[in-house]
Amino acid sequence: MQSEARGAMLPEGDLPRRMLRDETLLVLALSLGASALSALISFIGSVTKPGGLKDQAATLNASQAPGRPWLDLAWQLFGIATALVPVALVAHLLLREGAALRAIGFDRTRPRSDLGWGAAVAAGIGGTGLLLYLGARAAGANLTVVPEALPEVWWKLPVLIVSAVQNAVLEEVVVVGYLLRRLGQLGWTPMAALLASSVLRGSYHLYQGIGGFFGNMAMGVVFVLLYRRWGRVGPLVAAHALIDIVAFVGYALLAGKVGWLPTA
């Protein structure tokens, strides 16, 4: 009993492997692991539905209360806030081991550097990602992605921007910073950890189709390599946020006005 009590107070790095493993699985089950399973079920539903994938749509930011803008806004903000709870949990778990989020490079010590490198990565990945999406959709391997379907109200663009930032913080903190740290502590090889992080990223985008899976998996590989080079998720959060902001706001401004942008 005494040894068990002492073990419960040990630093995170000294915790039994089973506890680290269970902790990691629980964090994923409460966040993007559950999203991956949901995306898989959605994908199965799409491929077994009559008609091609490109004739179906995957809507990312939809109205939660059509015709009731204030209630809709409340639901939008509620969804954004609750989606960040796993990030708060990760922060707590890292703080428990005496590290905090600074251990994975998510802090305010290098804002200009993070934003600068993030913008460079976003510029390189954003255009390539759009071309891959258009190609996959034309080949019938992807659904038509509708980045937003919100009503024309005053809070539309701010909510889209905040939603993009939320996506970036959640994914990069959990799937890159936290997951790679824990897998390293569990003794996984760098290659195995890279594959796990990248496949997970692709998996929770499966609702978009095969193109969404492989495109995001490739992005995951790049992001893991950059994280290992810089030791920070800050630039990755900035890059991801900028990519999503351009996608969400760009669609809101251009949908139906340009011929090359698919709409539902």
Side-chain angles (χ1 to χ4, degrees):
M1 293 296 292
Q2 291 180 347
S3 63
E4 290 179 2
R6 286 196 301 269
M9 299 173 63
L10 288 173
E12 195 76 9
D14 295 328
L15 288 177
R17 288 169 57 90
R18 181 176 179 180
M19 291 185 67
L20 285 177
R21 183 200 65 196
D22 291 349
E23 175 201 292
T24 304
L25 291 175
L26 285 171
V27 169
L28 294 179
L30 291 170
S31 58
L32 295 165
S35 296
L37 181 57
S38 173
L40 175 61
I41 296 171
S42 178
F43 176 69
I44 293 173
S46 296
V47 296
T48 55
K49 184 178 180 179
L53 288 180
K54 69 178 182 179
D55 297 322
Q56 302 176 48
T59 303
L60 306 187
N61 294 282
S63 175
Q64 300 299 314
R68 306 181 68 183
W70 286 104
L71 182 62
D72 201 348
L73 175 60
W75 278 118
Q76 299 294 334
L77 296 178
F78 172 79
I80 290 169
T82 54
L84 289 173
V85 171
V87 176
L89 175 59
V90 165
H92 168 76
L93 293 171
L94 292 177
L95 186 62
R96 188 180 64 180
E97 65 175 284
L101 290 174
R102 66 178 178 273
I104 60 174
F106 188 57
D107 52 31
R108 295 178 292 177
T109 59
R110 305 179 193 175
R112 293 185 180 180
S113 174
D114 288 349
L115 184 57
W117 283 113
V121 173
I125 290 181
T128 303
L130 176 60
L131 292 176
L132 287 173
Y133 159 66
L134 294 175
R137 182 181 177 276
N142 222 76
L143 285 76
T144 298
V145 177
V146 180
E148 69 86 19
L150 296 176
E152 295 298 329
V153 290
W154 65 268
W155 49 260
K156 176 177 180 174
L157 295 185
V159 162
L160 289 175
I161 292 171
V162 175
S163 177
V165 174
Q166 171 256 298
N167 288 341
V169 172
L170 174 64
E171 294 186 35
E172 305 318 323
V173 167
V174 173
V175 177
V176 177
Y178 172 77
L179 184 59
L180 291 180
R181 183 179 180 86
R182 285 294 181 260
L183 293 182
Q185 291 171 329
L186 287 168
W188 286 45
T189 66
M191 179 59 69
L194 180 149
L195 289 174
S197 176
S198 303
V199 170
L200 176 59
R201 186 188 297 267
S203 297
Y204 58 76
H205 286 94
L206 253 179
Y207 67 91
Q208 298 177 8
I210 296 296
F213 172 78
F214 284 108
N216 281 280
M217 183 176 169
M219 175 178 166
V221 171
V222 173
F223 273 29
V224 168
L225 294 177
L226 290 176
Y227 174 69
R228 287 176 173 165
R229 179 178 179 85
W230 294 328
R232 296 182 58 78
V233 300
L236 307 182
V237 170
H240 192 152
L242 289 171
I243 291 171
D244 280 7
I245 288 171
V246 171
F248 295 171
V249 176
Y251 186 90
L253 298 176
L254 298 177
K257 299 177 182 178
V258 294
W260 54 266
L261 183 62
T263 57

